[in-house]
Amino acid sequence: RTLYTPKKGEGLARGMTAITAPPPGFEVPIIDLSRPCDDHELVAQVRDACQRVGFFHVVNHGVPGEVLHSAMRVTRSFFELPEAVKMRVANSKKGFIPINGQPENAVRPTALHEKFSCSRVDGVDKRTDRAYYDPTGPNAEQAALYFGEANQWPDRPIDFKPTWTAYYKSMELLTGKLMTIFAHALGVPADFFKMFHDKHVTNLVALRYPPMTAEARAAAAGEAEAEARAGSSDWTVDPKY
């Protein structure tokens, strides 16, 4: 939800939550992931951050800087293309969605941002994994949302697909390490979460919020800018470049 402190006499738009300023001395924890997942100090720091704050920064996370910067470079280059070019990979589930445009986002409205997303880049075969992809099964609607479309890859920039694929795989490894640390913090077996994520449906999403007039932003007040972080996912990893 969007965190927002309303002015006197001002109400809250849908999806917004009023907050107060953080207490003096409040800091978001910075955690060094260069240590083994079962390192006692590391596990204690993650446990404390989750219980006391709810989120944390990580350093020495193993994602190469070149992978991070390349992902940002191709993403910015893609969003800078003419909309007609971006619309070649338009899709409501995986691909590009313009601001207030069609196709309508299958997950959340796009009144304030344009979006590009992809799902898993390998490891799942919908021809054989019927428990996850069966269009006639009890979870058919949800399966169609996550697996009903193939990833849509733009041909510009020319290195977009391999760059995003490398970034996705790097973040997949990072979240696997975080899951192991969380397991240690909870006092369960190190591979406890693995059985629940062997066929995960994680999306890699890029949102671009272009400059908007006050009138346009007011008209889109129903959409919370932090909506991308609200949902049923286990957690969200936001990179810092």
Side-chain angles (χ1 to χ4, degrees):
R1 292 290 182 263
T2 294
L3 302 180
Y4 175 70
T5 303
K7 300 180 177 66
K8 183 177 181 179
E10 183 179 37
L12 290 171
R14 179 177 60 85
M16 293 185 173
T17 302
I19 60 170
T20 57
F26 174 85
E27 293 184 355
V28 176
I30 300 175
I31 297 178
D32 185 347
L33 294 185
S34 63
R35 295 162 289 179
C37 293
D38 60 352
D39 179 86
H40 178 75
E41 183 180 3
L42 170 62
V43 172
Q45 288 175 343
V46 170
R47 182 190 299 113
D48 175 71
C50 292
Q51 292 177 336
R52 184 173 54 85
V53 180
F55 49 91
F56 51 89
H57 295 296
V58 295
V59 295
N60 297 321
H61 41 64
V63 180
E66 177 58 28
V67 171
L68 286 166
H69 292 292
S70 293
M72 177 61 78
R73 173 182 55 80
V74 299
T75 302
R76 283 176 170 161
S77 295
F78 172 77
F79 281 132
E80 290 169 358
L81 292 171
E83 186 163 303
V85 176
K86 293 181 284 189
M87 288 297 291
R88 295 173 187 169
V89 289
N91 188 284
S92 65
K93 300 169 185 174
K94 300 171 186 176
F96 174 70
I97 300 179
I99 298 174
N100 273 331
Q102 296 297 325
E104 185 178 351
N105 195 340
V107 179
R108 61 182 62 85
T110 57
L112 295 176
H113 66 259
E114 56 182 345
K115 168 187 175 183
F116 184 88
S117 67
C118 76
S119 188
R120 295 189 61 151
V121 295
D122 61 13
V124 177
D125 187 343
K126 66 180 181 181
R127 295 170 299 178
T128 58
D129 294 325
R130 302 299 289 177
Y132 294 85
Y133 296 96
D134 186 356
T136 64
N139 299 315
E141 183 176 352
Q142 187 175 25
L145 174 62
Y146 292 112
F147 310 117
E149 304 288 343
N151 287 329
Q152 308 293 312
W153 298 111
D155 55 13
R156 294 172 57 190
I158 192 171
D159 56 342
F160 189 97
K161 179 180 178 180
T163 300
W164 263 52
T165 298
Y167 180 67
Y168 190 106
K169 290 181 177 180
S170 293
M171 299 304 286
E172 200 171 29
L173 290 173
L174 172 58
T175 54
K177 181 171 185 176
L178 289 171
M179 282 192 291
T180 301
I181 297 172
F182 291 154
H184 285 299
L186 291 169
V188 297
D191 62 351
F192 177 80
F193 293 110
K194 186 176 181 179
M195 71 180 77
F196 303 107
H197 292 83
D198 61 336
K199 293 183 177 67
H200 64 82
V201 294
T202 302
N203 279 343
L204 174 56
V205 178
L207 304 179
R208 175 178 176 268
Y209 289 85
M212 299 180 69
T213 64
E215 293 77 10
R217 186 168 293 279
E223 180 189 353
E225 289 193 54
E227 191 72 8
R229 297 175 179 82
S232 58
S233 58
D234 292 335
W235 55 77
T236 298
V237 179
D238 286 332
K240 180 179 181 181
Y241 301 92

